[in-house]
Amino acid sequence: MRVGPGFPQVVVLFGATGDLSRRKLLPGLFHLTKAGFIPGCRIIGVSLDDIDADGFRAIARESLDKFSSRKFTQAEWEAFAASLDYVPLAAGAGVLKEAVDRAEEALGAECRRVHYLSVPPNAALSAVQLLAQAGLVERCRIIMEKPFGIDLTSAVALNKKLHEVFSEKQIFRIDHFLGKEPAQNILAFRFANGLFEPIWNRNFIDHVQIDVPETLGLSTRAAFYETTGAYRDMVVTHLLQILAFMAMEPPTALEPAPISEEKNKVFRSMLPIEPRDVVRGQYIGYRSEPGVDPESDTETFIALKCAIDNWRWAGVPFFLRTGKRLAEGQRIISIAFREPPKSMFPAGSGVGAQGPDHLTFDLADSSKVSLSFYGKRPGPGFRLDKLSLQFAMSETNLLGEVLEAYERLILDAMRGDHTLFTTAEGIERLWEVSNPLLENPPPVRLYDQGGWGPKSIHQLIAPHAWRLPFERAWRDSGKE
């Protein structure tokens, strides 16, 4: 496993009593400290709730009991509880500074600070101003949650305000998709294998699909979702980031600056996303959800075609799809290879009958890879069947070594490693290519809950077909 940062860390956690903090951040910080990744840690919760440190400890204990996937002892919990403190937001900058000073004094050695803004976008800048007023800008990194603006104008304004307080080097815009082991495995798969890198281009790849359907609905996020929608919530901050990993040129080194530069080159090469290449959908019943406008035009589903106009990818369409209340929860990248001439095969052989050869990455926690190909069916004659080579992370016996996405990303931020984070330049460019769509969005089309989205998605991808739902199952479990 990777070594932790060299300095003790004081974490100021804004939104400390919120859903993300309970589900991911508190259990993640507990594991990082318990496993020895951080040489010393103090966590100061900050939120609107008028509670004290003991109240915050009770929330932390409840979150570990409910959401932690790992067992722990009472002694480990007590050590973690002793590291927790709390400052109500209303207490102001002075009280927050005193709490940080106490934490740093308790740690003794030279400290670093991590400010995690697990708050809605409209509250992020006020948290930044509070940190500035408290004099907590030096020796720190700041982790920000999406969305990073809602269009180019707001993103530029947000970055400008951030840069008045923090340098770009201090800012870590988090995308938990990229924190997952399978997403990083794309880099290893591409650049460490002589079999695949030579064919990773328009001469051999016909089209690419990035498909992230969700079975979940809104939960308690109606107010957020009404102002955001599926495109802003998922495509800009998740799917296009995955696309960049898949499409980038080889970096000069597997280090933060070269990788960020190659990702940004992909974004600079993207063509504007035109409304005619987009299907927006809304599940039937969305407008009846609590907090949703009865005449809402917000999309809960988006499918689109985009293009990268550079030497590697010119002419290769990238199809992206995501949405709420769909039939399955999946996270796949599916790469379709160009088909060879078929004239040599006898009639009725079945060549090409089940589509092109595909390389499929399952980005869910099970972390699987599948390569499909045609092979001869045993017996007389010449009949072809679709076969596949498959790999799952569980086959390595290293599943216990995997950090959860937020754990990995928090640790990387503490180490100052920007590899898996988004830059200001990258996010602004993505909003720029989104402009045609945002200014003239196509109408939303209704779709049934538990399906795969509006019917018009099939015209969008024709003459190709969506890979989900899969026709063949993975050999161990789930779907291919």
Side-chain angles (χ1 to χ4, degrees), residues 248-400:
M248 64 190 267
E249 295 297 316
T252 55
L254 285 177
E255 295 173 358
I259 289 176
S260 292
E261 174 57 19
E262 295 305 334
K263 284 174 60 185
N264 286 341
K265 284 182 185 176
V266 172
F267 300 146
R268 290 198 289 269
S269 301
M270 283 183 66
L271 296 177
I273 297 170
E274 300 294 341
R276 65 176 178 271
D277 294 328
V278 178
V279 174
R280 296 171 70 236
Q282 187 185 89
Y283 66 76
I284 296 171
Y286 171 77
R287 294 175 182 176
S288 303
E289 299 269 14
V292 172
D293 183 342
E295 299 180 4
S296 174
D297 188 47
T298 300
E299 80 277 358
T300 61
F301 172 97
I302 191 101
L304 61 96
K305 177 170 70 174
C306 62
I308 301 169
D309 190 25
N310 63 16
W311 281 92
R312 186 181 288 264
W313 297 113
V316 177
F318 288 75
F319 298 99
L320 280 55
R321 175 173 64 168
T322 186
K324 301 287 188 186
R325 299 279 189 201
L326 296 176
E328 296 176 20
Q330 294 270 8
R331 293 172 180 173
I332 70 154
I333 300 177
S334 190
I335 297 160
F337 293 102
R338 294 196 183 280
E339 297 189 68
K342 305 183 182 70
S343 57
M344 64 175 280
F345 292 95
S349 67
V351 63
Q354 297 182 60
D357 299 337
H358 280 88
L359 176 63
T360 303
F361 293 90
D362 183 341
L363 302 184
D365 292 334
S366 51
S367 187
K368 302 170 188 170
V369 181
S370 169
L371 177 63
S372 68
F373 58 94
Y374 285 95
K376 183 186 176 299
R377 183 185 298 177
F382 207 97
R383 287 283 299 168
L384 299 178
D385 283 331
K386 205 65 178 288
L387 309 171
S388 66
L389 301 171
Q390 297 180 8
F391 163 79
M393 181 72 72
S394 57
E395 296 169 18
T396 66
N397 298 317
L398 294 174
L399 270 180

Side-chain angles (χ1 to χ4, degrees), residues 146-162:
K146 67 178 176 77
F148 314 116
I150 58 170
D151 54 23
L152 179 58
T153 302
S154 60
V156 170
L158 174 63
N159 286 329
K160 184 174 182 291
K161 289 286 189 184
L162 287 173

Side-chain angles (χ1 to χ4, degrees), residues 145-220:
E145 282 286 338
K146 67 178 176 77
F148 314 116
I150 58 170
D151 54 23
L152 179 58
T153 302
S154 60
V156 170
L158 174 63
N159 286 329
K160 184 174 182 291
K161 289 286 189 184
L162 287 173
H163 292 153
E164 288 174 1
V165 179
F166 298 101
S167 69
E168 179 65 16
K169 187 183 288 189
Q170 291 177 285
I171 302 168
F172 291 76
R173 298 169 187 82
I174 197 166
D175 171 14
H176 69 272
F177 269 47
L178 294 189
K180 292 180 176 295
E181 203 73 35
Q184 299 153 57
N185 204 31
I186 296 169
L187 295 181
F189 193 93
R190 282 190 61 188
F191 300 129
N193 294 298
L195 177 61
F196 289 102
E197 179 53 28
I199 62 170
W200 209 267
N201 57 58
R202 60 191 169 92
N203 297 322
F204 297 92
I205 291 176
D206 183 75
H207 68 278
V208 177
Q209 295 180 33
I210 301 176
D211 214 345
V212 186
E214 297 182 298
T215 57
L216 301 172
L218 296 186
S219 185
T220 59

Side-chain angles (χ1 to χ4, degrees), residues 17 21 28 46 67 94 108 147 212 270 318 416 460:
T17 61
S21 177
V46 181
F67 299 114
V212 186
M270 283 183 66
F318 288 75
L460 175 71

